[in-house]
Amino acid sequence: MYSYIKGELVEMTVESIVVENHGIGYNIRIPQSILDSFTGIGQEVKIYTYTYVREDALHLYGFLSRDDLMIFQLLLGVSGIGPKGALAILSVMTPDDLRFAVLGEDDKTIAKAPGIGKKSAQRLIIELKDKLKLEDAAVIKSASSESESLEASGIHGIKTDAVMALTALGYSSGEAIKAVSQVDIQENDSVEEVLKAALKQMAWI
């Protein structure tokens, strides 16, 4: 229905925002993770939206990037996960965090989202594993929006480079992602340091 809505941010809560455009206030439900991206009431924002229509409901869900919106739509396609569950996941995980968790079969991380149990997390992994690619994250990050922090972008780059290095050494993507995901990566870490730590993890997988 709407690709995106651009206008003035006039209201903001932990669950939703209101964006005014040409005298109309759009109530948009958002993941809590994007709240810190807003500077405050009165700023101009551009929100990519998804219109959820049911017999008894009509809601707008909003995101700061097309990637967030795409992941939200993929989550809605998972059996047993509705808008509330999909929003809960994106409130505690970035799209790239979810890619790493799904490809690394890390159901524990996914299950940390409110309302998402272990079985739901395992089902999500099964249904999305063939639909998500680590390479997509690298491409999307290269054209990241201004709202994404440099710190998050830097750590993501290190994780991706380390995974690529491990696959070049002959490990499968799944093995590489699992090992790198278990490394506590800091922004000032080098790829070499992360690679060494991941190789130590490989001995325990």
Side-chain angles (χ1 to χ4, degrees):
M1 186 173 181
Y2 302 109
S3 178
Y4 63 84
I5 294 174
K6 189 175 183 180
E8 180 184 353
L9 180 64
V10 295
E11 292 182 25
M12 183 168 58
T13 70
V14 295
E15 296 182 346
S16 65
I17 58 174
V18 175
V19 177
E20 182 176 337
N21 178 285
H22 290 87
I24 300 175
Y26 296 90
N27 188 292
I28 306 171
R29 301 186 180 196
I30 59 171
Q32 294 181 14
S33 57
I34 73 173
L35 285 174
D36 291 339
S37 300
F38 301 124
T39 58
I41 301 301
Q43 76 171 108
E44 184 175 275
V45 295
K46 181 178 181 180
I47 307 295
Y48 294 93
T49 58
Y50 176 84
T51 305
Y52 181 77
V53 181
R54 290 293 183 271
E55 291 182 2
D56 58 345
L58 174 59
H59 300 300
L60 279 176
Y61 292 86
F63 309 90
L64 293 181
S65 72
R66 292 187 184 279
D67 188 35
D68 292 345
L69 175 58
M70 182 197 73
I71 294 297
F72 179 76
Q73 291 174 302
L74 285 176
L75 288 170
L76 290 182
V78 176
S79 303
I81 294 183
K84 185 176 180 180
L87 212 61
I89 292 172
L90 290 177
S91 289
V92 298
M93 304 179 72
T94 67
D96 288 341
D97 288 337
L98 183 61
R99 287 186 176 94
F100 271 93
V102 170
L103 296 174
E105 299 182 2
D106 185 1
D107 56 10
K108 291 182 180 179
T109 295
I110 298 173
K112 291 179 181 178
I116 303 297
K118 185 174 182 179
K119 289 185 178 179
S120 293
Q122 292 173 337
R123 183 168 58 248
L124 185 154
I125 289 172
I126 293 172
E127 296 188 26
L128 292 188
K129 193 167 186 179
D130 293 335
K131 298 179 181 179
L132 296 175
K133 297 179 181 179
L134 184 62
E135 292 81 1
D136 290 341
V139 171
I140 291 166
K141 282 295 181 182
S142 68
S144 60
S145 66
E146 294 181 0
S147 64
E148 292 172 318
S149 69
L150 292 176
E151 179 181 0
S153 183
I155 291 176
H156 172 269
I158 293 170
K159 290 174 68 174
T160 301
D161 288 346
V163 169
M164 295 303 181
L166 286 171
T167 55
L169 291 174
Y171 294 101
S172 69
S173 295
E175 291 173 329
I177 292 170
K178 284 181 180 179
V180 172
S181 295
Q182 292 176 22
V183 177
D184 182 17
I185 303 174
Q186 304 300 318
E187 187 183 6
N188 58 353
D189 287 342
S190 67
V191 175
E192 290 74 16
E193 290 172 330
V194 175
L195 184 58
K196 288 180 181 179
L199 285 170
K200 289 181 180 180
Q201 292 289 344
M202 301 299 283
W204 301 96
I205 295 179

